[in-house]
Amino acid sequence: MELDVYMLSRLQFALTIMFHYLFPPLTIGLSWLMVIMEGMHLKTGDREYEAIARFWTELFAVVFAMGVATGIVMEFQFGTNWATYSRYVGDVFGSPLAAEGIFAFFLESSFLAVLVFGWDRVSARMHFFSTCMVSFGAMLSSIWIVVANSWQQTPAGFVVNETLGRAEITSFRAMVFNPSTVHRVMHVWLGAGILGAFFVLSISSYYLLHGRHTRMARKMFKVALAVGTFMSLAALGSGHLQAKNVGATQPAKLAAFEGLYKTPAEGEGAPLYLFGLPNDETESVDFGFAVPGGLSFLMYESFKTPVTGLDQFPREDWPPVNLSFQAYHMMLTVGVFFIGITLLACFFWWRGTVFDQRWLLWVFVFAVIGPFIGNEAGWCAAEIGRQPWIVYGLLRTGEAFSPAVSAGQVVFSIGMFLALYTFMFLVWIFIMSKKIQKGPELREAASGAHSGALNGADKSEEG
């Protein structure tokens, strides 16, 4: 059987980007919590918050390194497996990637050394400033990456040079603020915040269940729970606005997300499926449960306003409906779980019994898997739902790969990536486990330049 270079190239890119995307959201989310923890130390002089901030800084550095190492691979693929695509979008796509390198990555790298190694070498305020700058740099980096990807979803601010066969920028501002950028940046940030919060909740719960670092674990848990609850609720609103934006700019994608094969007649609303199995042959959703008119209500605040279905598009322009549907609903399912579990924990916190609920702490230990799934599923839904276009409405994915690359070369590189990424992941797990097992260390006294800006210190010791 002859191997398909096009499908192999797509598989390779999917494997590398999904592995890479384990780390950037965690980097962003952890950086926000680091800012909060270190800010509490700076404000109160509590040495436990300093120990907490040092601990999360060590873990952050390892996650950051993995994100950088795995991100470089993706950009190389643009010039190897996807050279036709790079030629077509290079003038547009190159500018946000260059901006990310110049403004964001340079900012992160400049202050990262101070963040990691400057605890006893600079003042507390300078170190806190460095933490803020690294966090700001991570956010800037995500903006430019999302800008580049959003342009693929909703292209704007360009013309197609027919002579050269490529898209060229006419308005940098219109390209950056294309119709989906703001919605997608906010949703990515909220997903990152949820992941960071649940990561801290998981480790804090582990310490509490095993009676280790209990005073600091309680402080970490409370901060992370507050952040996780806010982010989970905000993601619900952001997701609603994002879905309405998709319906306006990429109606075929929304129809695939919701399994809407047929456009309802005038005066008939579109159903909202909670689960099911879309069937392209029968053009219906098997084993589904739907809220009548629910999709119409969410889109137009009316149960009887029609929503555009897949029947309004040529069959060759349909996304893979079942994959889009399942990825989208997986993201929604874990999102509802985040809201439910954090609100329940907040109820017990309000009652003053949250740390007595051992079953709930065990849930949080393993609940960190949910945000990883949610972020991956959301990204998959966005990318699969855009198919068969690599640049929506302009360039098909099947026309964008590199014909000069052979199937054997792609198979070999996939094998190499699998071996390398498996090794990297195992090393990452080993290092993270050692640091987590060690936990935060409470120093006897703040020392050096770092203590100079603090007035007083908390004299309590860990129980």
Side-chain angles (χ1 to χ4, degrees), residues 319-338:
V321 182
N322 197 31
L323 280 175
S324 302
F325 181 96
Q326 302 304 342
Y328 180 69
H329 281 74
M330 177 62 73
M331 177 186 65
L332 293 178
T333 300
V334 296
V336 172
F337 167 75
F338 302 150

Side-chain angles (χ1 to χ4, degrees), residues 106 141 143 164 171 198 231 238 262 282 303 307 311 329 332 340 343 350 357 361 377 392 409 414:
F106 180 76
S141 181
I143 289 174
L164 298 177
S171 170
F198 271 76
M231 294 290 178
S238 169
K262 295 179 176 61
T282 61
F303 285 100
V307 178
D311 59 348
H329 281 74
L332 293 178
L343 287 179
W350 174 68
Q357 314 298 322
L361 296 177
Y392 191 73
Q409 290 172 324
I414 289 175

Side-chain angles (χ1 to χ4, degrees), residues 286-298:
D286 298 335
F287 312 108
F289 179 80
V291 178
L295 180 58
S296 294
F297 180 78
L298 290 177

Side-chain angles (χ1 to χ4, degrees), residues 340-384:
I341 197 66
T342 54
L343 287 179
L344 180 62
C346 285
F347 170 75
F348 287 120
W349 185 6
W350 174 68
R351 293 282 301 272
T353 60
V354 65
F355 300 120
D356 299 326
Q357 314 298 322
R358 291 184 63 83
W359 67 270
L360 183 62
L361 296 177
W362 276 115
V363 170
F364 275 118
V365 168
F366 296 102
V368 67
I369 299 171
F372 281 113
I373 293 174
N375 278 287
E376 295 282 357
W379 199 262
C380 286
E383 298 305 289
I384 295 171

Side-chain angles (χ1 to χ4, degrees), residues 92-112:
V92 178
F93 207 72
S95 53
L97 291 183
E100 191 247 348
I102 295 171
F103 298 113
F105 188 70
F106 180 76
L107 179 65
E108 286 179 284
S109 302
S110 298
F111 286 96
L112 185 64

Side-chain angles (χ1 to χ4, degrees), residues 96-369:
L97 291 183
E100 191 247 348
I102 295 171
F103 298 113
F105 188 70
F106 180 76
L107 179 65
E108 286 179 284
S109 302
S110 298
F111 286 96
L112 185 64
V114 179
L115 171 67
V116 177
F117 303 111
W119 281 101
D120 299 314
R121 294 175 174 83
V122 299
S123 69
R125 288 185 174 85
M126 180 61 199
H127 193 275
F128 177 67
F129 178 74
S130 299
T131 306
C132 292
M133 289 299 98
V134 169
S135 179
F136 181 57
M139 294 171 67
L140 272 182
S141 181
S142 68
I143 289 174
W144 291 113
I145 296 300
V146 173
V147 163
N149 186 266
S150 295
W151 186 87
Q152 293 178 249
Q153 309 279 348
T154 52
F158 74 101
V159 295
V160 176
N161 186 323
E162 299 293 348
T163 303
L164 298 177
R166 68 174 191 174
E168 298 177 349
I169 295 177
T170 57
S171 170
F172 183 76
R173 183 181 183 280
M175 183 273 293
V176 170
F177 293 101
N178 65 73
S180 64
T181 291
V182 175
H183 291 286
R184 300 181 79 241
V185 166
M186 294 305 299
H187 208 56
V188 166
W189 281 352
L190 291 169
I194 293 170
L195 177 54
F198 271 76
F199 194 75
V200 174
L201 284 168
S202 175
I203 296 172
S204 302
S205 297
Y206 173 81
Y207 289 149
L208 290 167
L209 286 165
H210 290 82
R212 299 178 56 202
H213 315 293
T214 52
R215 286 177 56 85
M216 289 185 281
R218 288 181 178 228
K219 291 178 179 179
M220 293 189 290
F221 186 97
K222 289 178 180 179
V223 171
L225 179 58
V227 172
T229 304
F230 172 79
M231 294 290 178
S232 299
L233 291 170
L236 179 66
S238 169
H240 173 63
L241 296 176
Q242 170 74 341
K244 295 187 74 168
N245 179 265
V246 169
T249 58
Q250 297 174 284
K253 177 190 282 191
L254 179 70
F257 283 170
E258 300 292 351
L260 186 64
Y261 287 95
K262 295 179 176 61
T263 304
E266 193 66 36
E268 295 182 11
L272 179 70
Y273 280 96
L274 302 184
F275 57 84
L277 292 172
N279 188 325
D280 288 353
E281 293 184 5
T282 61
E283 297 188 0
S284 62
V285 179
D286 298 335
F287 312 108
F289 179 80
V291 178
L295 180 58
S296 294
F297 180 78
L298 290 177
M299 291 298 295
Y300 304 113
E301 291 79 46
S302 168
F303 285 100
K304 295 186 177 181
T305 303
V307 178
T308 303
L310 289 166
D311 59 348
Q312 300 300 305
F313 304 92
R315 189 88 177 206
E316 61 269 20
D317 290 347
W318 287 14
V321 182
N322 197 31
L323 280 175
S324 302
F325 181 96
Q326 302 304 342
Y328 180 69
H329 281 74
M330 177 62 73
M331 177 186 65
L332 293 178
T333 300
V334 296
V336 172
F337 167 75
F338 302 150
I339 293 172
I341 197 66
T342 54
L343 287 179
L344 180 62
C346 285
F347 170 75
F348 287 120
W349 185 6
W350 174 68
R351 293 282 301 272
T353 60
V354 65
F355 300 120
D356 299 326
Q357 314 298 322
R358 291 184 63 83
W359 67 270
L360 183 62
L361 296 177
W362 276 115
V363 170
F364 275 118
V365 168
F366 296 102
V368 67
I369 299 171

Side-chain angles (χ1 to χ4, degrees), residues 385-433:
R386 190 185 65 235
Q387 301 304 317
W389 305 99
I390 196 166
V391 180
Y392 191 73
L394 293 175
L395 180 66
R396 292 180 181 271
T397 309
E399 301 168 347
F401 71 103
S402 304
V405 176
S406 69
Q409 290 172 324
V410 182
V411 170
F412 176 77
S413 61
I414 289 175
M416 291 296 293
F417 280 131
L418 284 174
L420 178 61
Y421 281 3
T422 300
F423 174 74
M424 290 175 64
F425 186 72
L426 292 175
V427 171
W428 181 70
I429 291 293
F430 175 75
I431 295 174
M432 294 289 282
S433 296

